[in-house]
Amino acid sequence: MAESSKSKERQGQLGLSYPMLTKTNYTAWAMKMRVFMQAHNVWEAIDPKDPKANVDDKVDKRALAMIYQGISEDLLLTLAERKIAKEAWEAIKTVSLGAEKVKKAKAQTLKSEFESLNMKDSENLDDFCMKLNGLVANIRALGETIGEEYVVKKLLRAVPSKFLQIASAIEQFGDLEKMSVEEVIGSLKAHEERISGQVDSKEGQQLLLTEEEWSKRESDSGGKLLLTHEEWLKKSSRSGQQFGNDHRERDNQGGHGRFDRSKVKCFNCGGYGHFAAECKKIKEKQIATG
């Protein structure tokens, strides 16, 4: 019964859905396949701990079967002469990454792109870090060595001025030789959140200041700076009424021309053609409130 159970478990493992290799996803495909094969204890067929030791035939066949499930039929036909898993794996790597000279050319191109990469002020930190890590992964997949410390220093140089304070602090007080890229990203994200909170606070303070200035201009000399909505409506009503009386008096005294009400702006609703004291919205509110 125990042997039967193990057999079913192995069949279930081989029935899992493996990632499919395409023309552009070799790096990600190889990473996923390696983890799958390590989980199934067959990665030693590809990368044995002892190169001189013979790989168990059953382990090798299981590893080869897993590779076959992750490639297209066209590529499978090119591997017909590869009898062991390691040979098949290396053949796929060669086809996907190209010959050694092509690999080096690709690596140099990616390195140049990595060196010139800089984060824009409007760019999202997560998107930039994903782009950076993607370049690093592709460079390493081509066989080039790029250390964690080197990537950390590049990240700190590539961020915009809003991260200058935290980047400088990390460079001065952090141990860059032991620090991981993920740790730096976490510190940058925490700093970004603090900056965001400060900006929101400043915008609120600026809005309040504008309201204070406006209220001060609208209030009587020596009056309080902030008015309630009801006080403002009453003040606007009195101002509009006085303004209308002044113009009517000027007309009665023979002023120049007739007063043009179409240019009068209501301080309550913002419309034209009437004063705040005549505004229908104030009357409707007074009726509603009793």
Side-chain angles (χ1 to χ4, degrees):
M1 289 294 290
E3 185 64 31
S4 176
S5 177
K6 289 182 179 180
S7 177
K8 289 181 179 180
E9 183 181 350
R10 289 175 181 174
Q11 290 176 1
Q13 288 176 343
L14 293 177
L16 293 174
S17 177
Y18 294 97
M20 287 299 298
L21 177 66
T22 67
K23 293 181 179 180
T24 59
N25 75 337
Y26 172 77
T27 302
W29 177 85
M31 291 173 63
K32 291 179 181 179
M33 286 298 295
R34 182 180 62 195
V35 174
F36 269 80
M37 297 170 84
Q38 286 173 339
H40 296 163
N41 298 316
V42 297
W43 179 245
E44 62 179 281
I46 309 300
D47 186 20
K49 295 179 180 179
D50 183 2
K52 296 180 180 180
N54 294 325
V55 178
D56 182 85
D57 186 61
K58 290 183 178 179
V59 172
D60 190 75
K61 294 302 182 187
R62 286 170 59 195
L64 191 60
M66 293 174 70
I67 292 173
Y68 283 175
Q69 292 186 57
I71 60 176
S72 64
E73 291 185 0
D74 292 337
L75 182 56
L76 178 62
L77 294 175
T78 66
L79 301 178
E81 300 301 319
R82 314 295 179 178
K83 303 301 182 182
I84 61 175
K86 184 175 178 62
E87 291 179 352
W89 183 270
E90 292 298 331
I92 292 172
K93 184 176 181 180
T94 300
V95 170
S96 299
L97 299 180
E100 193 65 27
K101 291 183 179 179
V102 177
K103 284 169 57 178
K104 288 183 178 180
K106 284 184 178 180
Q108 286 301 117
T109 301
L110 291 174
K111 278 186 174 181
S112 298
E113 187 177 346
F114 174 81
E115 289 297 337
S116 62
L117 188 65
N118 285 297
M119 180 179 171
K120 299 177 182 178
D121 288 329
S122 59
E123 192 170 5
N124 181 275
L125 180 62
D126 287 332
D127 293 340
F128 175 77
C129 292
M130 188 178 298
K131 188 188 304 181
L132 182 74
N133 287 331
L135 279 173
V136 172
N138 284 322
I139 292 171
R140 287 171 175 168
L142 289 167
E144 295 291 324
T145 301
I146 180 167
E148 192 79 357
E149 182 183 354
Y150 186 75
V151 180
V152 166
K153 289 181 177 179
K154 169 58 184 177
L155 176 56
L156 293 174
R157 294 196 310 267
V159 293
S161 57
K162 64 181 179 180
F163 293 104
L164 181 60
Q165 182 179 357
I166 184 64
S168 298
I170 293 173
E171 287 180 331
Q172 291 179 24
F173 305 110
D175 189 350
L176 300 185
E177 293 182 359
K178 297 180 180 179
M179 192 172 292
S180 67
V181 175
E182 288 73 19
E183 287 178 300
V184 175
I185 294 174
S187 297
L188 294 175
K189 286 180 69 65
H191 182 73
E192 187 178 43
E193 289 296 325
R194 285 195 294 270
I195 291 176
S196 178
Q198 290 174 2
V199 170
D200 292 342
S201 176
K202 288 180 180 179
E203 288 179 350
Q205 291 173 4
Q206 182 58 44
L207 178 60
L208 179 59
L209 180 61
T210 302
E211 291 174 350
E212 288 176 349
E213 293 173 341
W214 176 84
S215 298
K216 186 175 182 180
R217 289 196 300 269
E218 291 293 317
S219 63
D220 295 329
S221 178
K224 60 182 178 179
L225 293 179
L226 295 177
L227 302 177
T228 65
H229 184 65
E230 294 296 331
E231 289 171 337
W232 180 81
L233 289 177
K234 288 179 181 179
K235 178 175 177 56
S236 298
S237 176
R238 288 197 302 271
S239 299
Q241 189 173 18
Q242 182 61 43
F243 184 68
N245 291 338
D246 290 344
H247 277 277
R248 281 193 291 272
E249 183 178 350
R250 189 192 67 179
D251 290 341
N252 292 335
Q253 292 176 357
H256 298 289
R258 185 174 179 81
F259 177 64
D260 188 359
R261 292 176 61 87
S262 65
K263 296 182 180 179
V264 176
K265 183 176 180 180
C266 175
F267 289 105
N268 178 55
C269 68
Y272 290 85
H274 64 276
F275 298 103
E278 304 167 333
C279 185
K280 293 182 180 180
K281 292 188 177 181
I282 292 181
K283 294 179 181 180
E284 291 174 357
K285 186 172 181 180
Q286 290 173 345
I287 294 172
T289 57

